[in-house]
């Protein structure tokens, strides 16, 4: 490639190679970190001191285009709206609306059309929000950049950058493009949004190995990351879609948009229902014609059966139940962006969680202080300077140990950051590590402001990567000299310390081996360890140099980590009890991930097993096939150094294994996996806009415990949806059976189509929808997750539906025939039959408050909406029976007490029959458990 380039002696040949799709492009893109800075500049025909000239910039802008992520077109608004109607259940409803309109029942037709329209509008609005994900990703890279062009430093929009531009970086800058660093001075970059690294990364311009993973490429700075400290200079090697952020944009667009388990099950249920309804209607028409009845009458009978079998209230019930779930989750700090996501959480079998900020507090916290061989532990988490510091196994004050006291003072005084209280939350302005040192000193009672007044800083040696330490000189309160404090890497500090401070304040020879053992023990717990030292300089000293950093007195060590959230530990345990497995997928180091996983109680196998979590890194999984990854993803609990591609592959592997996957994340690197997951969960406080737009749910408190609460709410939502379906289907089936029975027997229809619509619409709204407000049952988080492949209705529930349908058939058809036999008109007999249907539904509603328990176990008044709905239904049904206007519209007539007591008896009998069926099933289930326990080997029961 170099020979070709020198022959052409023009940048345009290089550009053509770079933009060409193929292996050469991949080779060039992947070699930047493995190429020396001088060679990179030469390849890009740039100059590290003068940059590009004007005409070269213009030519490259024309060739490469703007430094922005291109937005991909999708279906237009009209198409997106029309696609909302592309659902089998809505086909059924639209058919019902057309049929009712043909029957001149315009009010009912408008109601059904209204239900369909509301569902379509809600779906369209939710989908429109999701379409903004790529736009948000593009916005994250729009900023200004300081570049060297024509030998001058200029500020230009980041969109105008081209490959070969020389960019200057300083603290506070957002990196505008992918850069190969040419020079750096103490440069630190926060790459957490891209890689998941929990602390800023030190950057250098050295050449790295070819196989160095993205998170460890110290000589590269990537678009959308943030400079937290120092200065640097780099040459642009990739812009727009060719950047790492651009690749993530590509992954987002390639991620599959999956149907939720609920939408899949509802769609399958609707297709089956549609086929059954059409077959029954056809059979009804054919049998009637075969028996010699008029074709028009048989057509109307078939229409009546179809209208009766269609559950018109189901879409409205689904929408309202999900909306109630959304409101409940909002109260528990979870904002749902897409309605079906509410139920998806309830069916989740695996939660893949990012570590930083979700399972942990995303605030570095000092956990251990080691001074003169004594270990102190600090309680509390984050930057809030409250907590206790106690000696391990002893209730001893830390300040009584002179070495520990000076260790804490060194961390506080040798510090360029500060903590501020903003909106009741402590935040760090500066380096997270220094914020942790300030917080732990505050727990010991030290005040940074007071110390700054008493011992003002006189001079500083800032941290430099080549020296690996920082030093500050302070005026001492006494006149014995000036105090020098030094903090830095353990090996560097130890090499400059011949002696150590003891707990009593004396000095003694430094035991380096003992310190190394202490460091290894702290590192094994995933702690990042810093060493602290100092000495007293003459009173006349006002300036310090690197020559003064020698013959130091060693104070001690401080070990820090981004600690687990206390509530996350309990939430993970609750998830495992509920049969939901939790996996950690992080961009952080394997050792840190392993330590956090142990503290959280992750296991990676079936919940309840106890063993050390296995950790797999991106490098470990680089050569695995998709089939191998499916098994690994299911068995392993912790994945470290995860790239966006690996996160996406892991989610797909778990889905291929049959899991319903919830994925949490906050960074740009999480967005593809968030979109691929069955439900993506983004962080509301620390999350990027890209992650929020790609997610289905946003946590307003960035807390994993909120996910556990949302899973509980999701299970409640699915429970209530199932209860509604189990309650409503017997009515539809019963109405159909009554029509079929009348056709086969050859008698008049016991109920008319308009009466069927009255039953279905009024009872669905006033009775069925009250189940959406049913509180969660106490044992909901003690159940295993639902099998994603199982249908909405189990065999037991289908049996119950058939049982209640037969009760309706016998009750309604028998009452109709009884009324005819008593000499009543067909209108009165039909009114009796309609009231039988309504009363059976009313009594059966109390059975459906729980699928397994009696309503007395739940509490009669635990859902006051039930009482309100029942009262409203009774008023409407009395109006249906006795108000003249209603009699004319619905072909009803007043009935006497001799009919009412039969109607009420049928309803009460239904409640008793279903209650007895529940009792039998509980007894049978208990018997099976007892038999299994008796059959178990001794000690295993």
């Amino acid at each position: 490639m170099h020979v070709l380039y020198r022959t052409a002696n023009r940048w345009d040949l290089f550009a053509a190679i770079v933009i060409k799709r193929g292996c050469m492009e991949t080779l060039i893109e992947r070699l930047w970190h493995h190429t020396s800075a001088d060679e990179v500049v030469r390849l890009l025909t740039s100059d590290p001191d003068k940059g590009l000239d004007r005409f070269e910039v213009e030519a490259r802008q024309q060739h490469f285009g703007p430094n922005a992520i291109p937005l991909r077109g999708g279906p237009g608004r009209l198409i997106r709206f029309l696609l909302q109607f592309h659902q089998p259940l809505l086909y059924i409803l639209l058919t019902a609306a057309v049929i009712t309109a043909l029957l001149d029942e315009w009010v009912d037709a408008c109601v059904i059309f209204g239900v369909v329209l509301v569902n379509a509008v809600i779906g369209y609005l939710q989908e429109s929000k999701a379409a903004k994900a790529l736009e948000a990703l593009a916005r994250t890279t729009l900023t200004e950049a300081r570049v060297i062009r024509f030998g001058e430093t200029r500020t230009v929009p980041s969109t105008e950058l081209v490959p070969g531009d020389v960019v200057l970086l300083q603290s506070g800058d957002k990196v505008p493009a992918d850069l190969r660093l040419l020079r750096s001075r103490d440069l630190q970059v926060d790459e957490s949004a891209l890689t998941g690294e929990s602390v800023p990364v030190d950057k250098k311009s050295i050449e790295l190995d070819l196989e160095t993973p993205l998170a460890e490429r110290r000589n590269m700075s990537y678009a959308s990351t943030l400079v937290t400290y120092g200065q640097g200079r780099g040459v642009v090697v990739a812009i727009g879609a060719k950047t790492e952020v651009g690749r993530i944009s590509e992954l987002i667009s390639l991620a599959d948009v999956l149907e939720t388990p609920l939408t899949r099950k509802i769609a399958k249920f609707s297709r089956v229902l549609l086929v059954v309804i059409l077959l029954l209607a056809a059979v009804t028409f054919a049998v009637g014609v075969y028996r010699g009845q008029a074709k028009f009458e048989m057509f109307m009978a078939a229409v009546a059966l179809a209208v009766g079998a269609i559950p018109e209230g189901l879409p409205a019930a689904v929408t309202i139940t999900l909306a109630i779930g959304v409101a409940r989750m909002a109260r528990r700090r979870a904002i749902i962006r897409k309605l079906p996501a509410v139920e998806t959480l309830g069916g989740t079998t695996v939660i893949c969680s990012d570590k930083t900020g979700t399972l942990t507090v995303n605030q570095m916290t000092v956990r251990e202080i080691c001074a003169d061989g004594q270990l102190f532990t600090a309680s509390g988490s984050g930057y809030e300077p409250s907590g206790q510091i106690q000696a391990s196994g002893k209730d001893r004050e830390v300040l009584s140990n002179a070495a520990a006291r000076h260790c804490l003072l060194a961390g506080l005084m040798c510090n360029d950051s500060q903590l501020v209280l903003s909106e009741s939350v402590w935040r760090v302005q500066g380096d997270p590590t220094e914020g942790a040192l300030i917080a732990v000193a505050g727990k010991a009672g030290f005040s940074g402001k007071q110390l700054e007044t008493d011992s003002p800083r006189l001079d500083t040696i800032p941290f430099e990567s080549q020296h690996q330490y920082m030093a500050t000189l302070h005026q001492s309160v006494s006149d014995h000299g000036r105090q020098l404090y030094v903090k830095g890497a353990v090996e560097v500090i130890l090499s400059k310390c011949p002696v150590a401070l003891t707990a009593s304040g004396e000095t003694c020879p430094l035991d380096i081996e003992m310190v190394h053992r202490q460091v290894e023990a702290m590192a094994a717990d995933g702690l990042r360890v810093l060493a602290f030292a100092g000495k007293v300089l003459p009173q006349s000293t006002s300036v310090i140099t690197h020559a003064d950093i020698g013959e130091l007195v060693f104070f001690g060590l401080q070990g820090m980590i981004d600690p687990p959230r206390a509530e996350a530990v309990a939430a993970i345990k609750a998830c495992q009890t509920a049969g939901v497995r939790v996996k950690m997928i992080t961009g952080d180091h394997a050792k840190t991930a392993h330590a956090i996983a142990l503290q959280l109680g992750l296991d990676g196998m079936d919940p309840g097993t106890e063993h050390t979590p296995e950790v797999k890194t991106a490098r470990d999984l680089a050569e695995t096939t998709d089939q191998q990854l499916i098994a690994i993803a299911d068995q392993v609990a912790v994945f470290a150094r995860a790239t966006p591609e690996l996160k996406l592959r892991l989610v797909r592997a778990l889905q291929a294994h049959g899991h319903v996957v919830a994925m949490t994340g906050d960074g740009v690197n999480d967005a593809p996996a968030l979109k691929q997951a069955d439900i993506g969960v983004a962080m509301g406080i620390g999350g990027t806009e890209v992650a929020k737009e790609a997610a289905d749910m946003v946590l307003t408190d960035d807390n994993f415990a909120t996910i556990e609460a949302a899973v509980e709410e999701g299970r409640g939502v699915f429970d209530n949806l199932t209860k509604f379906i189990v309650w409503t289907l017997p009515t539809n089936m019963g109405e159909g059976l009554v029509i079929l029975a009348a056709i086969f027997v050859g008698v008049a229809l016991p109920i008319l189509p308009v009466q069927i619509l009255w039953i279905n619409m009024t009872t669905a709204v006033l009775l069925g929808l009250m189940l959406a407000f049913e509180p969660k049952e106490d044992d909901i988080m003690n159940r295993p997750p639902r099998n994603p492949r199982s249908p909405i209705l189990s065999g037991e529930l289908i049996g119950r539906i058939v049982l209640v349908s037969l009760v309706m058939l016998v009750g309604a058809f028998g009452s109709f025939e009884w009324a005819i036999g008593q000499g009543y008109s067909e209108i009165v007999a039909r009114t009796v039959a309609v009231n039988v249907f309504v009363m059976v539904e009313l009594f059966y509603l109390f059975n459906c408050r729980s699928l397994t328990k009696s309503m007395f176990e739940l509490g009669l008044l635990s859902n006051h909406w039930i009482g309100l709905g029942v009262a409203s239904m009774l008023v409407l049904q009395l109006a249906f029976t006795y108000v003249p206007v209603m009699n004319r519209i619905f072909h009803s007539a007043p009935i006497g007490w001799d009919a009412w007591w039969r109607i009420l008896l049928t309803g009460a009998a239904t409640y008793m029959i279903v209650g007895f069926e529940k009792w039998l099933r509980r007894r049978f289930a208990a018997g099976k458990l007892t038999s299994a326990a008796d059959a178990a080997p001794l000690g295993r029961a």
Side-chain angles (χ1 to χ4, degrees):
M1 184 185 70
H2 297 174
V3 174
L4 286 175
Y5 178 81
R6 285 196 293 269
T7 302
N9 199 27
R10 284 286 299 161
W11 72 270
D12 52 352
L13 176 58
F14 170 75
I17 296 175
V18 171
I19 64 172
K20 180 181 178 182
R21 304 296 296 182
C23 60
M24 183 63 74
E25 174 197 51
T26 303
L27 175 65
I28 293 173
E29 287 182 355
R30 299 304 177 209
L31 282 178
W32 294 125
H33 65 279
H34 185 54
T35 307
S36 68
D38 291 340
E39 181 70 3
V40 170
V41 171
R42 191 182 69 78
L43 285 171
L44 293 169
T45 60
S46 186
D47 188 300
D49 299 312
K50 296 181 180 180
L52 301 172
D53 63 38
R54 177 175 178 176
F55 297 115
E56 192 77 0
V57 169
E58 292 175 354
R60 296 191 185 193
Q61 286 176 341
Q62 183 176 2
H63 191 95
F64 287 102
N67 177 29
I69 298 172
L71 298 178
R72 292 168 175 80
R77 295 181 179 180
L78 179 60
I79 298 299
R80 285 211 311 270
F81 179 72
L82 293 177
L83 286 174
Q84 305 305 315
F85 297 91
H86 184 51
Q87 302 175 38
L89 190 60
L90 294 188
Y91 295 157
I92 298 175
L93 285 177
L94 289 171
T95 303
V98 171
I99 292 172
T100 52
L102 292 174
L103 294 172
D104 291 331
E105 300 296 336
W106 295 107
V107 174
D108 299 300
C110 290
V111 169
I112 300 174
F113 271 124
V115 170
V116 174
L117 187 61
V118 167
N119 279 277
V121 169
I122 291 174
Y124 171 76
L125 292 177
Q126 295 295 332
E127 208 170 277
S128 296
K129 291 180 181 178
K132 296 178 181 177
L134 294 178
E135 295 177 20
L137 184 58
R139 288 197 299 271
T140 64
T141 59
L142 297 181
T143 183
E144 290 189 331
R146 291 190 310 126
V147 300
I148 299 176
R149 286 179 177 173
F150 342 134
E152 301 175 355
T153 301
R154 297 169 174 266
T155 300
V156 300
S158 63
T159 54
E160 296 181 5
L161 292 180
V162 297
D165 261 328
V166 177
V167 176
L168 302 178
L169 300 175
Q170 63 183 14
S171 180
D173 287 349
K174 179 182 280 189
V175 179
D178 285 2
L179 309 178
R180 171 61 166 91
L181 294 175
L182 305 177
R183 302 170 193 170
S184 67
R185 178 178 174 82
D186 310 324
L187 183 65
Q188 295 182 2
V189 179
D190 179 359
E191 296 183 337
S192 59
L194 185 65
T195 66
E197 182 81 49
S198 55
V199 295
V201 180
D202 294 325
K203 294 294 184 177
K204 301 177 182 179
S205 60
I206 59 174
E207 185 177 340
L208 298 174
D209 292 337
L210 178 62
E211 299 302 323
T212 304
L214 178 72
E216 298 176 9
R217 293 178 187 172
R218 309 296 189 191
N219 59 6
M220 300 288 295
S221 286
Y222 295 104
S224 82
T225 60
L226 184 67
V227 179
T228 61
Y229 191 81
Q231 299 174 334
R233 177 179 299 196
V235 60
V236 175
V237 295
I239 63 171
K242 299 297 182 182
T243 63
E244 290 297 324
V245 173
R247 285 196 315 105
I248 293 173
S249 171
E250 184 79 16
L251 289 175
I252 293 176
S253 65
L254 294 177
D256 300 327
V257 180
L258 301 179
E259 290 182 309
T260 69
L262 176 66
T263 55
R264 288 196 295 266
K265 290 175 181 178
I266 290 289
K268 183 177 180 180
F269 171 75
S270 301
R271 287 192 293 269
V272 172
L273 189 61
L274 179 61
V275 172
V276 170
I277 290 171
L278 293 177
L279 285 176
L280 287 177
V283 168
T284 301
F285 181 80
V287 170
V289 172
Y290 177 77
R291 294 174 62 89
Q293 299 185 47
K295 292 183 178 180
F296 178 77
E297 291 181 5
M298 288 304 94
F299 175 76
M300 293 307 296
V303 168
L305 186 144
V307 171
I310 294 173
E312 291 91 345
L314 184 56
V318 170
T319 300
I320 292 173
T321 304
L322 293 177
I324 292 170
V326 167
R328 287 177 175 175
M329 287 187 182
R331 289 194 291 270
R332 302 187 74 169
R333 302 180 183 276
I335 305 301
I336 300 296
R337 296 185 62 249
K338 301 173 183 177
L339 276 182
V342 179
E343 180 277 331
T344 307
L345 270 169
T348 297
T349 59
V350 173
I351 299 175
C352 296
S353 179
D354 184 31
K355 175 183 71 68
T356 306
T358 309
L359 296 172
T360 65
V361 296
N362 197 20
Q363 296 181 349
M364 295 299 290
T365 304
V366 173
R367 278 284 184 242
E368 296 180 358
I369 303 144
C370 191
D372 191 26
Q374 188 173 13
L375 183 66
F376 295 86
T377 58
S379 63
S381 63
Y383 299 130
E384 184 175 357
S386 62
Q388 293 182 332
I389 303 176
Q390 292 183 328
S392 180
K394 301 178 182 178
D395 186 13
R396 182 179 175 185
E397 175 62 43
V398 66
L399 297 183
S400 64
N401 183 315
R405 185 172 67 252
H406 278 278
C407 183
L408 290 169
L409 280 172
L412 178 61
M413 302 295 283
C414 187
N415 200 307
D416 284 333
S417 301
Q418 59 180 331
L419 297 181
V420 294
L421 186 62
S422 173
E423 299 179 353
S424 301
V425 178
W426 286 93
R427 305 181 189 278
V428 64
Q429 291 184 346
D431 185 83
T433 299
E434 293 189 333
L437 298 175
I438 299 172
V440 74
K443 296 173 185 178
F446 292 119
S447 169
K449 291 184 178 179
Q450 185 63 44
L451 288 171
E452 288 175 8
T453 302
D454 297 340
S455 303
R457 184 185 297 189
L458 302 176
D459 196 18
T460 304
I461 296 178
F463 178 88
E464 294 179 341
S465 54
Q466 65 265 38
H467 294 122
Q468 294 291 302
Y469 62 77
M470 174 184 176
T472 56
L473 179 66
H474 299 267
Q475 182 175 316
S476 178
V477 176
S478 65
D479 295 329
H480 299 302
R482 302 287 172 83
Q483 180 65 52
L484 174 70
Y485 287 120
V486 183
K487 75 167 189 281
V490 174
E491 291 299 331
V492 174
I493 299 299
L494 289 179
S495 68
K496 300 179 182 298
C497 296
V499 297
L501 190 66
T502 65
S504 62
E506 305 294 328
T507 59
C508 66
L510 176 63
D511 187 345
I512 293 180
E513 292 301 321
M514 182 187 72
V515 175
H516 280 154
R517 288 195 297 271
Q518 293 166 344
V519 170
E520 289 173 3
M522 296 168 81
D525 291 333
L527 300 180
R528 183 187 185 197
V529 184
L530 291 180
F532 300 84
K535 67 179 180 180
V536 177
L537 293 175
Q539 186 70 28
S540 59
T541 306
S542 59
V543 177
I544 53 175
T545 65
H546 290 292
D548 295 314
I549 313 303
E551 300 299 316
L552 301 175
V553 179
F554 182 75
F555 296 152
L557 307 168
Q558 293 192 44
M560 63 194 70
I561 196 171
D562 179 13
R565 293 176 179 267
E567 57 272 30
V569 178
I572 287 174
K573 186 175 181 180
C575 285
Q576 292 173 338
T577 301
V580 180
R581 296 163 61 178
V582 181
K583 298 179 183 292
M584 179 197 298
I585 305 178
T586 177
D588 215 336
H589 294 279
K591 185 174 290 187
T592 303
H594 182 267
I596 294 295
L598 286 176
Q599 297 177 50
L600 289 168
L602 298 182
D603 51 37
M605 301 297 286
D606 292 332
T609 61
E610 295 182 359
H611 69 281
T612 301
E614 182 182 3
V615 180
K616 291 287 187 181
T617 66
R619 183 171 292 179
D620 297 334
L621 302 175
E623 302 300 324
T624 58
T625 65
D626 289 343
Q627 194 61 39
Q628 291 171 331
L629 188 64
I630 291 173
I632 293 172
D634 186 57
Q635 296 169 3
V636 177
V638 185
F639 299 90
R641 283 324 213 186
T643 61
E645 293 91 341
L646 177 60
K647 292 183 179 183
L648 186 60
R649 284 188 71 203
L650 286 171
V651 170
R652 284 174 171 165
L654 289 167
Q655 289 170 333
H657 200 275
H659 287 294
V660 176
V661 182
M663 174 75 194
T664 77
D666 57 1
V668 174
N669 59 330
D670 298 316
L674 288 174
K675 187 178 179 185
Q676 174 67 38
D678 294 280
I679 176 164
V681 183
M683 304 299 110
I685 299 175
T688 61
E689 287 303 313
V690 182
K692 294 176 190 176
E693 290 292 344
D696 305 291
M697 183 174 84
V698 179
L699 305 183
T700 60
D701 59 356
D702 289 12
N703 194 336
F704 183 86
T706 303
I707 302 176
E708 184 265 332
V711 169
E712 183 180 349
E713 292 293 346
R715 289 190 173 191
V717 166
F718 188 83
D719 256 16
N720 290 346
L721 282 175
T722 304
K723 292 170 186 176
F724 177 86
I725 293 171
V726 171
W727 172 83
T728 194
L729 286 186
T731 304
N732 303 113
M733 184 179 290
E735 291 164 346
L737 290 175
V738 166
I739 301 296
L740 279 175
I743 298 300
F744 276 88
V745 175
V747 299
L749 295 180
I751 47 177
L752 299 175
V754 68
Q755 293 170 339
I756 291 174
L757 284 171
W758 166 264
I759 296 170
N760 291 356
M761 298 305 293
T762 56
T763 58
V765 173
L766 295 177
L767 297 181
L769 286 182
M770 300 305 106
L771 292 172
F773 298 94
E774 193 65 35
K776 299 182 297 294
E777 296 182 30
D778 295 336
D779 63 345
I780 198 166
M781 287 300 283
N782 293 327
R783 309 173 192 168
R786 300 186 309 276
N787 186 337
R789 298 183 180 90
S790 65
I792 294 179
L793 300 176
S794 65
E796 293 181 359
L797 295 180
I798 292 174
R800 185 177 301 167
I801 290 170
V802 172
L803 174 64
V804 178
S805 300
L806 293 175
V807 172
M808 287 185 171
L809 168 63
V810 173
F813 195 83
S815 297
F816 176 81
E817 288 298 310
W818 167 83
I820 294 294
Q822 293 295 314
Y824 292 113
S825 65
E826 286 187 357
I827 294 179
V828 171
R830 284 175 177 144
T831 305
V832 173
V834 169
N835 277 289
V836 167
F837 271 105
V838 172
M839 287 303 151
V840 169
E841 285 191 89
L842 190 149
F843 278 91
Y844 181 48
L845 179 69
F846 293 98
N847 293 117
C848 291
R849 290 190 59 199
S850 173
L851 299 176
T852 57
K853 301 175 183 176
S854 163
M855 70 171 179
F856 298 104
E857 296 179 66
L858 302 176
L860 289 174
L861 302 178
S862 59
N863 183 0
H864 63 274
W865 290 98
I866 292 282
L868 180 62
V870 167
S872 301
M873 190 69 239
L874 289 174
V875 170
L876 275 184
Q877 202 56 32
L878 289 173
F880 171 89
T881 306
Y882 295 107
V883 175
V885 174
M886 302 289 281
N887 295 155
R888 287 195 298 272
I889 295 175
F890 293 102
H891 310 290
S892 59
I895 59 177
W897 283 108
D898 57 337
W900 275 117
W901 74 263
R902 293 176 180 275
I903 293 168
L904 293 173
L905 184 62
T906 305
T910 304
Y911 177 81
M912 298 300 293
I913 291 170
V914 175
F916 182 67
E917 180 256 352
K918 284 185 183 180
W919 179 80
L920 283 178
R921 290 194 184 278
R922 287 201 301 270
R923 286 292 300 272
F924 179 71
K928 287 180 66 176
L929 288 175
T930 302
S931 300
D934 291 341
L938 187 62
R940 295 285 299 276

